[in-house]
Amino acid sequence: MRLVILDNYDLASEWAAKYICNRIIQFKPGQDRYFTLGLPTGSTPLGCYKKLIEYHKNGHLSFKYVKTFNMDEYVGLPRNHPESYHSYMWNNFFKHIDIDPNNAHILDGNAADLQAECDAFENKIKEAGGIDLFVGGIGPDGHIAFNEPGSSLVSRTRLKTLAMDTILANAKYFDGDLSKVPTMALTVGVGTVMDAREVMILITGAHKAFALYKAIEEGVNHMWTVSAFQQHPRTIFVCDEDATLELRVKTVKYFKGLMHVHNKLVDPLFSMKDGN
Amino acid sequence: MRGEQGAAGARVLQFTNCRILRGGKLLREDLWVRGGRILDPEKLFFEERRVADERRDCGGRILAPGFIDVQINGGFGVDFSQATEDVGSGVALVARRILSHGVTSFCPTLVTSPPEVYHKVVPQIPVKSGGPHGAGVLGLHLEGPFISREKRGAHPEAHLRSFEADAFQDLLATYGPLDNVRIVTLAPELGRSHEVIRALTARGICVSLGHSVADLRAAEDAVWSGATFITHLFNAMLPFHHRDPGIVGLLTSDRLPAGRCIFYGMIADGTHTNPAALRIAHRAHPQGLVLVTDAIPALGLGNGRHTLGQQEVEVDGLTAYVAGCSVESALEAASLHPAQLLGLEKSKGTLDFGADADFVVLDDSLHVQATYISGELVWQADAARQ
């Protein structure tokens, strides 16, 4: 793995956005060649989305030839509910960029046949040629997407019941009322994300530190599903200082020492204005 | 033309780089319009998978719902209370000219007049949708003649009336058919007013209290009978007194029907009401404030003699004044509140999804730069200067 450590949340968000920007531009997307991006929700990626929007608004980055696949969506929440992941993606990303609505894929938590919806999603990813870069986050319980502790590490897109840790973590979005938080969600599987050609996990904040420790310094374990990515050929963990608080000093020093190498991935920052 | 037919195929307009008034706040959001209505862009994106057909950059300006004037007696030389042969042209002229002031809907107001005038004029001013031709007519506001002698203000004494004899029948005999009538201003202390208020309210006509010497109790009783508006608060009514606040006391009365909001018109020209008095009313009951012009035929004309119904009025200079409240409050007082008064808040006075796309583009000093009705540009500052 690459473990990229930045001083604070803003710098981590910016590094991640620059990386995504460079990957898209270097790919040279076009009419018959779409860049496929997996996307997360939650508070962690907000800063990254803001920077991507900024690059777009300044004319450096277009999403015209980008296809996106979101990781998950609540079951039973109306699509236009302010806390649905559809609302999140619209307000925090899609409405600010130039993506074709037909290329923005999010699971439908109100589908009549939920498993069929999940199977169709897997097919759409396959038809798009697989995911070039899957961006994700980590839950305090070490989950990736809604692959709660105990999820199969080779799982596919399916219906999951949320663990109490997740419900507690999400209560803040539902006026702190646990009874209002959805209890089920559709989610890509660990296996689905593992199929991506590259994976980038964003982890910021002290409350995620223990999960990060379990994910990268302990073994591969279905109780901490992000640990599965120890067996992926191209994974980047982008963190702030606080997220590294539970890691060994040796681990942090080693990867901080590599920052000059990591920074070559984002500097220079490419722009579509350069006729790429 | 508004309609569901063909709306789905109609062009989608996206107004960008603007601040829109929504939920009582100015938000940095785009305004989407289709088929003459405000469109939900999120629904368009996820359900129809469409983007805008055309984007218009608003240069960072404010987009507010079009203003609604529920008390305007005429303007630009036109007097709505004059029984001319072609009342329609006069209304059309005013409707077109007020577009430049950001007014997209209005209630032409008739002051106290003899029955012959009502019988001739009222049928000639039907409710009409707005458009490039002018602001929409929501219905007439009949101010008088059932008002107090003592508080008649500029209304002619000779034509004041009462409905003691036959209550609602007296009113019908005076006005004629009420199809085009939206608001009636009357004094509740007149005998049998409660029967009249109830009959008008039952017909969906808004009853307003004004030109009256009613005390607070009488005013409260009138609200219980159905009155929902106060015509130009402070003017032509008993002054606020701490032992009997009169009609003004309705703003803070605890004896009104539960959930009922009493609206009050205020002429914010700095002359009719001292700005400090306006602020007292606004702070006491901000949700009820409705800005009106109470404009007279002399609006837009120079100094000199002009008619106002059966009277002549001398005009000597015009003053303009902006209420000392927040921008958002002022904008709502000129759009949302009059719409709520008339029960139209789902389609007018708001930029919520599904509402009619009647809106104005304002600069930071709240000067009107452009006016839109049903999503169509009907007036523009630059064009006017040519």
Side-chain angles (χ1 to χ4, degrees):
Chain A
M1 70 167 179
R2 286 196 172 99
L3 181 61
V4 175
I5 304 169
L6 287 308
D7 286 346
N8 58 48
Y9 174 79
D10 289 338
L11 290 172
S13 301
E14 187 177 22
W15 197 100
K18 283 180 174 175
Y19 186 79
I20 296 169
C21 183
N22 274 0
R23 290 287 284 109
I24 294 173
I25 295 176
Q26 282 176 305
F27 182 85
K28 291 183 168 34
Q31 185 78 358
D32 306 306
R33 191 181 151 72
Y34 281 76
F35 186 88
T36 47
L37 193 56
L39 292 176
T41 53
S43 50
T44 306
L46 282 174
C48 179
Y49 283 130
K50 279 199 173 70
K51 292 304 281 184
L52 287 172
I53 290 165
E54 185 189 307
Y55 302 151
H56 169 69
K57 287 220 180 326
N58 291 336
H60 300 303
L61 179 61
S62 164
F63 291 86
K64 192 168 176 206
Y65 298 115
V66 173
K67 286 183 179 167
T68 64
F69 291 87
N70 266 71
M71 299 189 120
D72 41 25
E73 174 60 286
Y74 289 116
V75 166
L77 208 59
R79 197 215 64 237
N80 62 358
H81 188 284
E83 293 304 328
S84 80
Y85 287 169
H86 280 77
S87 292
Y88 176 102
M89 290 307 298
W90 168 256
N91 285 310
N92 294 310
F93 199 45
F94 295 145
K95 81 177 176 192
H96 305 281
I97 59 171
D98 61 344
I99 190 167
D100 182 333
N102 288 298
N103 293 333
H105 302 281
I106 307 181
L107 285 155
D108 177 7
N110 293 299
D113 183 341
L114 293 173
Q115 191 50 52
E117 170 69 12
C118 294
D119 296 340
F121 201 72
E122 288 273 344
N123 275 334
K124 282 187 201 139
I125 294 175
K126 202 187 291 186
E127 276 160 21
I131 308 273
D132 292 307
L133 172 62
F134 217 128
V135 182
I138 193 174
D141 59 0
H143 72 218
I144 174 91
F146 278 130
N147 292 287
E148 307 290 61
S151 292
S152 160
L153 298 180
V154 293
S155 51
R156 310 304 305 183
T157 305
R158 69 217 183 288
L159 171 70
K160 283 293 285 187
T161 301
L162 305 187
M164 181 49 83
D165 274 339
T166 303
I167 293 177
L168 287 170
N170 287 353
K172 69 184 187 230
Y173 300 118
F174 293 88
D175 302 321
D177 185 349
L178 292 181
S179 67
K180 291 205 179 109
V181 184
T183 54
M184 295 198 291
L186 300 184
T187 178
V188 292
V190 182
T192 315
V193 184
M194 282 289 286
D195 279 354
R197 288 179 270 286
E198 186 171 11
V199 176
M200 181 166 80
I201 311 283
L202 302 178
I203 310 181
T204 58
H207 59 300
K208 300 284 175 82
F210 191 74
L212 177 59
Y213 150 65
K214 281 290 188 184
I216 66 174
E217 286 190 337
E218 297 276 296
V220 172
N221 188 323
H222 66 175
M223 284 302 174
W224 301 89
T225 50
V226 175
S227 65
F229 295 94
Q230 292 178 28
Q231 297 196 293
H232 188 287
R234 277 182 78 95
T235 298
I236 307 181
F237 289 88
V238 181
C239 320
D240 63 359
E241 280 280 347
D242 287 346
T244 65
L245 285 173
E246 295 283 355
L247 299 179
R248 293 175 102 200
V249 174
K250 189 158 89 171
T251 310
V252 174
K253 281 194 168 182
Y254 173 71
F255 285 104
K256 274 193 169 173
L258 287 172
M259 275 311 288
H260 66 287
V261 176
H262 295 156
N263 282 333
K264 287 192 188 149
L265 297 167
V266 297
D267 181 22
L269 180 62
F270 297 124
S271 165
M272 284 183 174
K273 279 186 187 169
D274 302 333
N276 279 316
Chain B
M1 192 142 57
R2 283 190 250 274
E4 291 307 326
Q5 250 182 341
R11 281 173 67 74
V12 173
L13 271 165
Q14 181 185 2
F15 293 85
T16 66
N17 191 13
C18 52
R19 288 162 285 155
I20 70 176
L21 182 70
R22 195 172 270 165
K25 293 192 171 66
L26 281 174
L27 307 172
R28 266 235 152 247
E29 290 282 352
D30 293 347
L31 186 73
W32 294 63
V33 175
R34 179 171 67 180
R37 293 213 167 95
I38 310 290
L39 181 66
D40 180 350
E42 185 181 342
K43 196 157 182 232
L44 184 77
F45 186 89
F46 288 125
E47 284 182 16
E48 294 180 53
R49 307 215 164 259
R50 270 182 73 174
V51 293
D53 296 302
E54 187 190 332
R55 277 185 189 83
R56 287 194 198 166
D57 189 318
C58 298
R61 294 191 184 89
I62 293 171
L63 261 53
F67 303 142
I68 300 174
D69 194 352
V70 299
Q71 188 169 11
I72 167 171
N73 307 291
F76 317 101
V78 174
D79 179 353
F80 295 140
S81 304
Q82 288 291 335
T84 64
E85 287 310 316
D86 187 11
V87 169
S89 313
V91 174
L93 193 155
V94 173
R96 189 169 47 77
R97 294 291 297 269
I98 58 179
L99 291 179
S100 64
H101 295 271
V103 178
T104 53
S105 300
F106 69 113
C107 292
T109 305
L110 270 65
V111 296
T112 293
S113 303
E116 310 85 74
V117 169
Y118 294 115
H119 295 156
K120 186 150 188 193
V121 173
V122 171
Q124 290 190 64
I125 311 181
V127 169
K128 187 176 178 178
S129 294
H133 55 275
V137 175
L138 296 175
L140 292 169
H141 178 169
L142 302 182
E143 189 189 4
F146 303 101
I147 55 176
S148 150
R149 191 160 302 269
E150 203 186 314
K151 291 291 179 187
R152 68 187 182 276
H155 293 232
E157 180 165 5
H159 300 291
L160 300 183
R161 298 175 83 84
S162 81
F163 31 52
E164 269 186 30
D166 226 351
F168 190 62
Q169 295 310 314
D170 279 341
L171 183 139
L172 277 179
T174 304
Y175 292 146
L178 298 175
D179 306 337
N180 298 337
V181 177
R182 200 70 190 78
I183 307 173
V184 170
T185 292
L186 51 77
E189 69 270 22
L190 298 184
R192 301 184 74 179
S193 70
H194 296 286
E195 294 170 54
V196 174
I197 295 174
R198 271 183 233 118
L200 287 169
T201 307
R203 276 165 178 70
I205 292 174
C206 167
V207 175
S208 184
L209 308 178
H211 289 276
S212 158
V213 295
D215 58 18
L216 179 57
R217 190 56 185 255
E220 285 163 344
D221 289 344
V223 172
W224 276 93
S225 292
T228 52
F229 195 43
I230 302 171
T231 299
H232 44 58
L233 187 78
F234 294 129
N235 302 109
M237 58 186 63
L238 292 176
F240 175 91
H241 185 284
H242 57 284
R243 274 193 290 277
D244 190 334
I247 292 175
V248 178
L250 287 177
L251 266 59
T252 47
S253 167
D254 59 357
R255 281 198 61 248
L256 299 183
R260 180 91 73 85
C261 179
I262 188 82
F263 292 93
Y264 55 100
M266 298 220 60
I267 308 170
D269 62 356
T271 302
H272 279 82
T273 310
N274 185 296
L278 190 159
R279 275 193 287 275
I280 286 178
H282 180 252
R283 284 184 207 175
H285 182 35
Q287 305 95 325
L289 174 60
V290 171
L291 287 175
V292 300
T293 59
D294 202 10
I296 57 173
L299 166 72
L301 304 180
N303 293 343
R305 293 198 147 238
H306 303 279
T307 62
L308 174 62
Q310 307 298 311
Q311 316 226 95
E312 286 200 332
V313 168
E314 193 77 57
V315 171
D316 186 18
L318 290 166
T319 52
Y321 175 76
V322 177
C325 57
S326 72
V327 166
E328 294 88 335
S329 284
L331 292 174
E332 286 198 323
S335 60
L336 177 64
H337 296 170
Q340 288 171 328
L341 167 70
L342 299 178
L344 299 170
E345 67 270 26
K346 287 265 178 310
S347 57
K348 300 279 188 208
T350 169
L351 296 180
D352 287 349
F353 303 138
D356 295 344
D358 296 350
F359 60 93
V360 285
V361 181
L362 307 166
D363 63 20
D364 283 344
S365 314
L366 301 187
H367 292 126
V368 181
Q369 300 298 316
T371 306
Y372 285 80
I373 292 182
S374 284
E376 206 184 332
L377 179 65
V378 296
W379 184 83
Q380 192 169 230
D382 295 329
R385 252 179 253 132
Q386 280 162 9

